[in-house]
Amino acid sequence: MAYLSPNQVKQYKDQGYISPIEALSSSEAFEARTEIELIEKKFPNEIQKSGRYNVHLISPKLDSIVHNKKILDAVESIIGKNILVCSTTLFIKEPKEQGFVSYHQDAKYIGLEPHNWVTAWVALTDSNEKNGCMGMWPKSHLDIKDHSEKFNVGNLLTRGQTVENVPENKVKSVELRAGQMSLHHPRIVHGSGVNKSNDRRIGFVIQSYIGTNVKQTLGKNSVQIARGVDKFNYHELISRPKTLMDKDNILIKKKENKYLHEILYKGSKKKSVY
């Protein structure tokens, strides 16, 4: 069974994250990477910069990960049996480049209330300290912290949103093999460094799996029903892709990314490439 154990659920509640969790086989992770790189080759602009959002809407391989039973079992252990898929993001760090993710809290800018949701970070390549794995600040999920908006070069976040003075000695590295995942709380402070290896580091982030009682307070976005039933109907429903880069699905992705862009930059006069 892939449901979380009572000790894992307790760790999530106490620490704000769980890692590692077995999610995919190494071959499933490789197949997803291959499909991403096929899209990059045939449609060079489709998933660049802000196009990295919601690629599961045009990629059957990524869609199958979003609806993977092992992942959904683990998610159900945290938010309950009625699960919606809100959006996804690809975090690709090229070797020797200066891309990083500043320390931040997802809940600060994403508009999903209440916080009955969880982010699944699925490693499609190995993720380790050398290539810029995530670092989590345990127990930092108990409240929302102040953030600076730096819009700094190399930062892979929209606003360069940054929690200052994070105690590095308390941050725990989240190392994952390809196919493993972590689950983290909307309010945990986390970030990641640059990729100093000779290969890409690819993370596929389901951000987020939300309970059906969760509303979008900063705009609108559509969802897929991943498991259970939605008795609240706060969001429009969208379909799953059946073929790679279907024209209708490309339009759906474009629409959803426009919605997400408006949410992430709500109240900001400045915008980055993401």
Side-chain angles (χ1 to χ4, degrees):
M1 297 295 287
Y3 290 96
L4 300 179
S5 69
N7 284 341
Q8 286 176 307
V9 174
K10 185 177 186 301
Q11 179 189 339
Y12 180 84
K13 290 179 179 178
D14 292 347
Q15 303 293 317
Y17 74 102
I18 315 166
S19 175
I21 300 170
E22 302 299 327
L24 312 175
S25 66
S26 57
S27 61
E28 287 173 324
F30 181 75
E31 288 170 3
R33 173 180 180 166
T34 300
E35 185 149 292
I36 289 167
E37 292 178 342
L38 176 63
I39 295 171
E40 290 176 320
K41 182 178 181 180
K42 290 192 171 183
F43 307 90
N45 298 319
E46 183 61 40
I47 59 177
Q48 295 299 310
K49 299 184 170 62
S50 60
R52 67 184 183 173
Y53 300 115
N54 291 311
V55 182
H56 71 293
L57 297 178
I58 59 172
S59 162
K61 293 290 185 186
L62 295 187
D63 172 79
S64 70
I65 294 174
V66 167
H67 296 271
N68 178 280
K69 183 181 184 301
K70 288 183 180 179
I71 296 176
L72 293 177
D73 285 350
V75 169
E76 180 176 328
S77 302
I78 294 173
I79 68 171
K81 64 182 181 180
N82 298 318
I83 304 169
L84 305 177
V85 181
C86 191
S87 63
T88 65
T89 307
L90 278 174
F91 280 100
I92 300 177
K93 292 182 181 177
E94 303 294 349
K96 309 299 183 181
E97 289 190 358
Q98 296 305 304
F100 69 98
V101 176
S102 54
Y103 287 117
H104 67 287
Q105 294 168 299
D106 296 334
K108 180 73 174 179
Y109 293 93
I110 212 162
L112 296 171
E113 301 284 349
H115 293 159
N116 182 35
W117 51 279
V118 63
T119 296
W121 202 103
V122 183
L124 300 185
T125 63
D126 290 348
S127 182
N128 49 50
E129 290 189 354
K130 185 173 183 179
N131 69 9
C133 69
M134 276 198 301
M136 300 283 186
W137 179 10
K139 300 185 178 181
S140 61
H141 64 300
L142 300 180
D143 56 18
I144 293 287
K145 319 267 184 209
D146 290 333
H147 287 62
S148 302
E149 296 184 359
K150 296 181 178 293
F151 289 93
N152 40 349
V153 175
N155 200 329
L156 301 180
L157 296 182
T158 48
R159 306 174 183 228
Q161 51 263 40
T162 304
V163 175
E164 307 282 4
N165 302 314
V166 172
E168 292 284 354
N169 62 324
K170 293 185 178 180
V171 173
K172 303 296 183 182
S173 293
V174 179
E175 295 197 312
L176 301 168
R177 296 193 312 273
Q180 291 182 324
M181 72 171 181
S182 62
L183 293 176
H184 67 260
H185 193 282
R187 296 190 301 268
I188 193 168
V189 175
H190 62 289
S192 63
V194 299
N195 181 0
K196 299 178 182 178
S197 76
N198 294 314
D199 191 15
R200 326 175 82 185
R201 192 222 66 172
I202 304 177
F204 177 52
V205 188
I206 299 102
Q207 187 181 40
S208 300
Y209 288 113
I210 68 174
T212 54
N213 65 320
V214 176
K215 293 182 179 181
Q216 174 51 258
T217 64
L218 297 179
K220 66 180 293 185
N221 52 252
S222 306
V223 299
Q224 296 170 340
I225 297 179
R227 178 171 287 183
V229 295
D230 181 6
K231 294 181 180 179
F232 292 89
N233 298 311
Y234 291 145
H235 314 276
E236 294 179 8
L237 296 180
I238 46 178
S239 59
R240 297 176 60 180
K242 294 180 180 179
T243 58
L244 180 64
M245 295 296 291
D246 175 84
K247 290 181 180 180
D248 290 337
N249 294 137
I250 291 172
L251 292 176
I252 292 172
K253 174 178 176 277
K254 185 176 181 180
K255 180 188 73 173
E256 291 304 312
N257 284 6
K258 181 177 182 293
Y259 289 157
L260 185 60
H261 200 256
E262 291 170 354
I263 290 166
L264 294 174
Y265 287 105
K266 188 81 170 183
S268 176
K269 294 181 180 179
K270 189 174 181 180
K271 296 179 180 179
S272 74
V273 296
Y274 297 108

